[in-house]
Amino acid sequence: LNAAPAQPTLLFMHHPPFRTGVNAADLFGFRGLRNFRTIVERHPAVRRIIAGHIHCVRQAEIGAASASTSISSAPQRVPELFERGHILSSRAEPGGFTTHEWRAGAFVSTTYVNTGGGRFAAQTGG
């Protein structure tokens, strides 16, 4: 980041660097989150932060960067801990994937959700 401070930068990581609302994942937190946020805020060239781990779509802003997660490539059950009035439950999430493209000076992310029968519906975000 210091070597090319004006170069638009994408960061990829496993655990999202923000609270996701998925309590089972948020309980474990993100070690060093305050230091990570400080670094990203000092480097406005960091434009996107792509994370995984929770296998559902969530977004947050960190400094000048948009941070996001995506759904899993396969249908799954997402654990819910102390959500919707239950101690432990799960919800169904469809399979899909997200693409990221640099277009007209900005990153554009599109999530494709499996709607069944081999079809995918596109959901475009910032």
Side-chain angles (χ1 to χ4, degrees):
L1 293 172
N2 288 331
Q7 177 69 38
T9 303
L10 207 69
L11 298 179
F12 293 90
M13 53 198 339
H14 180 74
H15 194 85
F18 57 90
R19 293 190 58 77
T20 65
V22 177
N23 292 338
D26 289 344
L27 282 173
F28 297 104
F30 182 92
R31 189 180 215 177
L33 180 58
R34 187 170 295 158
N35 290 338
F36 176 82
R37 286 178 170 268
T38 298
I39 291 167
V40 171
E41 289 167 358
R42 270 195 321 228
H43 295 90
V46 177
R47 304 287 286 282
R48 294 283 284 140
I49 302 167
I50 309 300
H53 192 72
I54 63 169
H55 299 199
C56 52
V57 177
R58 297 291 189 271
Q59 294 182 334
E61 300 298 318
I62 300 174
S66 175
S68 64
T69 60
S70 183
I71 58 179
S72 175
S73 58
Q76 64 170 349
R77 303 285 310 167
V78 174
E80 294 181 323
L81 185 61
F82 300 111
E83 297 175 31
R84 298 190 303 189
H86 298 99
I87 293 173
L88 179 61
S89 63
S90 65
R91 73 174 180 282
E93 286 280 337
F97 59 94
T98 301
T99 61
H100 305 283
E101 176 184 5
W102 178 252
R103 185 187 313 157
F107 285 107
V108 176
S109 300
T110 304
T111 297
Y112 296 90
V113 179
N114 188 335
T115 59
R119 294 185 188 92
F120 289 83
Q123 299 173 342
T124 302

